[in-house]
Amino acid sequence: MSFKEHREKLYRTLEANTLVIAYAGIPIHTNEDDYFDFAVNSQYFYLTGLERENTAFIAYKSADKTQEVLFIEEPDPHSERWTGKMPTKEEVREISAIEDVRYTDSIEGAISSFMGRFRVERVYFDMYRCRMNDLPDYNLVMAERFAKAYPQAVLKDLHTACVPLREQKDADEVESIRKAVDITRQGLEFVMKNLKPGMMEFEVQADFEYTCRRLGAKRQSFPTIAGSGINGCMMHYGTNHCEVKDGSLILLDLGVKYENYCSDITRTYPANGKFSPRQREFYELVLKANEAVAAAAKPGVTTRDLNDIARKVLGEGLVAMGMIADVSEVGKYYMHGVSHAIGIDVHDISLVGDVLKPGWVISNEPGLYIDEEEIGIRIEDDLLITENGCEVLSKDIIKDPDAIEAFMA
Ligand code: GLY
Ligand code: MN
Ligand code: MN
């Protein structure tokens, strides 16, 4: 993976006299002496390839060159005794291709030096906020601290600067997503082999995650959704604590991270291996929408256009089935968008309304949620936008209802 190329793409978009400061972040405290699993800041990872907590990166672009410095914790035998080997300067140099590696206790001095000795006109920090009342994440805290120390500095948002770069994946990024999708395929095949009525939803989840771990995936892309019956009608159901009843469907929305890149796949299976005629009718309609979206996904269109296609196909099908009187009522049974970008994050960085270009990876996930019949169906593929259309990266994860029944038999 060439993280150096990611940085060079960023530098090409920056004006001279610009400082970039990016932190990996720190683990978030839970209670007592416990912490959540560490999740690295995505902009930092994109630019360095490092997933290690308590590391940081500074770049200064002047008129004629860009100077880069990476900061890591100094390995110490006491910490290593408790939590394992810490990365060395040589190891992070190898991953990031940044030559100048220093220890984190020198970062404030380095920032002061850049601010004092160079004509810094703007400073980039990742200042993204998901929700107004979220606790500020580490980069935002550091940006605020910096602004207090240097009130004259003009702060800019690294997240916004990374949008056009990260929207378009390079060959290495696509390769990681392909691997994540393939691990997901194997996990789902293991699930299909074992699935039977009477299992608990969390057992199905465990079958999937067990296979993924065995295949080398370090973590899920997001908490696995295993919703049977009515639970499949809740878009982000995640408690997975119910029994999978005979005659029900189970909706599995799941994925893994490979080299920190995500897959995001949904398949819906009959618990007993056979769709009822009614379930199959809805399933085939969702599949038709999924195929229509894949046929339309190409450079120049937006995810909004794709959603209009999904709504039209699903709406017309529901009218034909007598479920609704007019296509405009489709929202009664289909309540989410059909597509989002996928990458380092499962809902990856992108802006609503941006047109698709070759190299984008997006989801294709129409669904129908019929509460009154306890039927929740979603079929989600991952698409790579190509020069003339798209490649369905998850084409080997079976979704044809006959193929699913044959496999489960
Ligand atoms: N798994 C979340 C989504 O499909 O968007
Ligand atoms: Mn998705
Ligand atoms: Mn999903």
Side-chain angles (χ1 to χ4, degrees):
M1 180 87 55
S2 179
F3 299 99
K4 189 174 165 52
E5 280 168 29
H6 296 174
R7 294 195 296 279
E8 278 164 3
K9 276 201 323 195
L10 173 68
Y11 302 153
R12 282 199 286 276
T13 70
L14 300 179
E15 294 170 82
N17 309 325
T18 296
L19 189 63
V20 176
I21 304 179
Y23 294 89
I26 58 174
I28 308 296
H29 181 235
T30 55
N31 290 289
E32 296 295 339
D33 62 350
D34 199 14
Y35 290 81
F36 289 109
D37 279 353
F38 176 64
V40 68
N41 173 271
S42 297
Q43 270 48 262
Y44 176 81
F45 172 78
Y46 180 75
L47 296 172
T48 64
L50 298 182
E51 295 181 58
R52 177 82 190 181
E53 63 210 50
N54 270 323
T55 58
F57 164 67
I58 295 184
Y60 180 66
K61 177 171 170 170
S62 58
D64 55 342
K65 63 172 182 164
T66 302
Q67 185 181 341
E68 304 176 313
V69 192
L70 195 58
F71 297 87
I72 63 168
E73 286 179 296
E74 183 166 7
D76 91 273
H78 178 75
S79 304
E80 292 190 331
R81 164 69 60 201
W82 283 93
T83 51
K85 226 186 122 330
M86 298 167 75
T88 62
K89 286 187 175 180
E90 292 67 37
E91 285 163 353
V92 299
R93 222 173 252 136
E94 174 80 21
I95 296 168
S96 65
I98 297 170
E99 285 308 312
D100 188 351
V101 183
R102 308 180 195 172
Y103 292 130
T104 33
D105 55 7
S106 67
I107 189 165
E108 291 200 357
I111 291 173
S112 304
S113 166
F114 278 114
M115 293 304 290
R117 289 175 37 236
F118 293 83
R119 189 157 63 89
V120 178
E121 289 174 359
R122 61 201 75 71
V123 185
Y124 278 79
F125 280 91
D126 185 346
M127 295 186 280
Y128 181 73
R129 263 207 117 97
C130 183
R131 294 190 182 87
M132 186 102 167
N133 60 354
D134 283 345
L135 288 174
D137 78 10
Y138 193 71
N139 278 278
L140 191 49
V141 170
M142 297 311 270
E144 282 165 355
R145 194 180 291 177
F146 179 90
K148 224 176 226 164
Y150 299 98
Q152 82 281 16
V154 175
L155 294 200
K156 296 266 194 178
D157 182 25
L158 182 60
H159 181 275
T160 307
C162 284
V163 172
L165 317 181
R166 283 181 55 198
E167 280 180 338
Q168 234 166 323
K169 273 71 187 172
D170 61 32
D172 289 333
E173 295 181 288
V174 171
E175 195 50 34
S176 294
I177 297 173
R178 268 185 211 286
K179 288 203 176 119
V181 168
D182 192 59
I183 290 171
T184 307
R185 171 186 66 76
Q186 296 183 63
L188 281 169
E189 288 177 359
F190 188 69
V191 164
M192 277 194 285
K193 278 184 192 136
N194 288 347
L195 182 61
K196 51 182 178 306
M199 283 175 84
M200 300 301 286
E201 292 164 342
F202 56 74
E203 291 179 272
V204 183
Q205 170 185 0
D207 275 348
F208 175 70
E209 293 179 7
Y210 160 79
T211 311
C212 298
R213 284 297 173 283
R214 290 195 60 215
L215 294 168
K218 279 192 273 186
R219 61 199 302 189
Q220 309 309 125
S221 304
F222 54 91
T224 298
I225 297 167
S228 62
I230 186 71
N231 298 335
C233 296
M234 302 162 203
M235 257 80 70
H236 283 176
Y237 171 78
T239 43
N240 303 345
H241 66 309
C242 293
E243 185 183 321
V244 183
K245 296 271 172 26
D246 194 11
S248 71
L249 295 175
I250 182 163
L251 183 156
L252 298 164
D253 184 349
L254 31 74
V256 296
K257 281 197 138 189
Y258 186 86
E259 304 282 13
N260 209 29
Y261 283 82
C262 295
S263 61
D264 181 16
I265 302 292
T266 309
R267 289 295 183 262
T268 308
Y269 302 132
N272 60 20
K274 203 140 178 54
F275 290 95
S276 72
R278 185 70 172 163
Q279 289 167 346
R280 188 181 264 261
E281 207 175 351
F282 286 115
Y283 188 95
E284 283 174 350
L285 178 53
V286 177
L287 188 56
K288 190 172 170 190
N290 171 281
E291 285 164 351
V293 168
K298 59 170 192 237
V301 306
T302 68
T303 55
R304 275 186 180 147
D305 300 330
L306 298 179
N307 200 41
D308 289 344
I309 290 167
R311 285 174 64 87
K312 182 167 187 293
V313 174
L314 293 170
E316 286 172 358
L318 290 173
V319 170
M321 289 174 76
M323 297 292 294
I324 53 176
D326 186 84
V327 173
S328 62
E329 296 162 37
V330 66
K332 187 172 174 201
Y333 296 113
Y334 168 61
M335 313 83 179
H336 56 80
V338 82
S339 186
H340 56 81
I342 299 170
I344 296 169
D345 295 291
V346 66
H347 292 168
D348 207 39
I349 194 166
S350 72
L351 293 177
V352 174
D354 279 0
V355 294
L356 304 183
K357 294 192 185 121
W360 276 57
V361 178
I362 61 167
S363 71
N364 169 12
E365 50 180 311
L368 285 173
Y369 310 94
I370 323 288
D371 287 5
E372 55 273 30
E373 302 188 43
E374 300 201 349
I375 292 178
I377 299 167
R378 180 159 66 251
I379 303 172
E380 177 174 23
D381 284 315
D382 298 347
L383 311 179
L384 168 66
I385 304 301
T386 57
E387 290 299 327
N388 303 311
C390 74
E391 177 189 344
V392 183
L393 296 175
S394 46
K395 59 184 170 304
D396 294 334
I397 306 181
I398 58 172
K399 61 185 175 186
D400 174 78
D402 292 327
I404 289 172
E405 288 183 353
F407 192 98
M408 290 182 70

